[in-house]
Amino acid sequence: MNTLIFATNNTHKVDEVRHILKGLWNILSLKEAGIDINIPEPHDTLEANAREKSMTIYHHTKKNCFSEDTGLEAEALGGDPGVKSARYAGNDKNPAENTAKLLRELEGQYNRKARFRTVISLIHDGQEFQFEGICQGTIIEEKRGNAGFGYDPVFVPDGDTRTFAEMNTAVKNLYSHRKKAMDRLILFLATKNNG
């Protein structure tokens, strides 16, 4: 089985990706790959941050790897929190505080439209390829549900009435931005393997 290093130690993201791949590839988190380095995310776009992470791991290991950067982009906030999503309320990356700040910023706003956007950066045989996935939806006024992570308790995807945090992984993947980006990655890897 082919192995890919996933440039993250976020267990929620690793679990989601493994569920999507259904055992087609062996996915190793940084910890599982024995890599203990802090990868900076200094850039102002998801694309550049994803590239920073994947290139850092590739230069460190010389092995095929991928990373992703995801942002929640609220229309009324001009696309914020966006690339700052994980650190919206501060550098300690506290999801509850990030969500509370988002709800404060949107208080009284009629326009609650938002989207999750994921950019995956794959380094395959030393070359970079990027894949994007987008999920359109709405930010509700109060948290609902206990599943998921991050902003999931306040995000309802278009076409449903439940938040991501009220869905199990299989249902969430019907809408998921990460799933859409991963599907493009899987298709690419399948053509590489068959070619």
Side-chain angles (χ1 to χ4, degrees):
M1 186 186 295
N2 291 328
T3 295
L4 279 172
I5 298 172
F6 185 7
T8 187
N9 277 318
N10 183 319
T11 55
H12 296 293
K13 289 183 178 181
V14 173
D15 289 344
E16 267 193 17
V17 165
R18 283 184 176 144
H19 191 272
I20 292 164
L21 288 174
K22 295 180 173 62
L24 293 171
W25 280 272
N26 181 32
I27 301 298
L28 297 178
S29 68
L30 292 178
K31 185 176 182 180
E32 291 165 340
I35 301 167
D36 183 18
I37 56 174
N38 189 31
I39 307 173
E41 295 178 284
H43 306 290
D44 57 5
T45 67
L46 299 175
E47 289 82 358
N49 277 337
R51 181 180 301 116
E52 179 86 28
K53 290 186 274 190
S54 61
M55 292 299 287
T56 298
I57 296 307
Y58 181 75
H59 288 310
H60 187 74
T61 65
K62 296 294 186 261
K63 293 180 180 174
N64 290 341
C65 61
F66 72 99
S67 69
E68 62 91 57
D69 204 19
T70 295
L72 176 69
E73 301 172 345
E75 200 172 271
L77 302 180
D80 280 348
V83 75
K84 303 183 294 284
S85 290
R87 297 177 176 84
Y88 196 39
N91 286 327
D92 59 349
K93 295 185 176 182
N94 185 303
E97 290 178 11
N98 289 337
T99 301
K101 180 178 179 180
L102 175 70
L103 293 179
R104 283 195 308 273
E105 295 289 328
L106 285 174
E107 205 169 313
Q109 283 284 353
Y110 173 74
N111 181 1
R112 312 285 294 193
K113 289 181 186 174
R115 66 180 190 173
F116 271 117
R117 190 164 71 92
T118 290
V119 176
I120 290 175
S121 169
L122 168 73
I123 308 295
H124 188 276
D125 295 338
Q127 194 172 355
E128 192 213 12
F129 303 89
Q130 290 200 346
F131 311 92
E132 182 184 64
I134 292 173
C135 177
Q136 303 283 355
T138 305
I139 303 297
I140 59 172
E141 294 182 1
E142 293 181 348
K143 296 202 292 190
R144 291 199 326 244
N146 299 309
F149 60 100
Y151 297 97
D152 285 0
V154 296
F155 183 84
V156 175
D158 287 354
D160 211 300
T161 57
R162 296 164 291 181
T163 69
F164 271 169
E166 294 176 297
M167 300 176 179
N168 63 33
T169 303
V171 175
K172 180 180 176 181
N173 281 340
L174 297 175
Y175 303 99
S176 167
H177 44 291
R178 192 168 290 109
K179 169 77 162 61
K180 291 172 184 173
M182 285 301 301
D183 283 346
R184 294 185 172 106
L185 170 67
I186 291 166
L187 186 62
F188 174 84
L189 289 172
T191 60
K192 282 286 182 187
N193 288 344
N194 294 332

